[in-house]
Amino acid sequence: MEPNAIVGNWMEASWLLGIGAAGVILVVLGLRRDDIVGTIFLVVGLALAVLGFGAQFFGWNPLSL
């Protein structure tokens, strides 16, 4: 495997984990609010967490679309 390909795979994995982590942060912030913004944070946070962590665990690459 080429060194550039290894770095590219690592950067892609880091990006997707960052998206998943941002989703988890939004879910935690959404749980602390009682208004409509909390509901929006929950929905968006769950979507980001599924996108980021799901891509890592199931091998799906949303960045290649």
Side-chain angles (χ1 to χ4, degrees):
M1 190 174 241
E2 243 181 79
N4 288 339
I6 293 172
V7 171
N9 289 339
W10 178 81
M11 297 267 302
E12 183 177 309
S14 298
W15 177 250
L16 292 171
L17 287 175
I19 290 173
V24 170
I25 290 169
L26 282 175
V27 167
V28 169
L29 291 175
L31 290 174
R32 298 184 64 167
R33 297 188 62 115
D34 292 335
D35 55 354
I36 190 70
V37 176
T39 305
I40 293 170
F41 278 10
L42 282 173
V43 171
V44 172
L46 284 173
L48 286 177
V50 166
L51 176 70
F53 294 133
Q56 281 297 314
F57 296 135
F58 298 123
W60 176 63
N61 186 2
L63 301 176
S64 68
L65 295 177

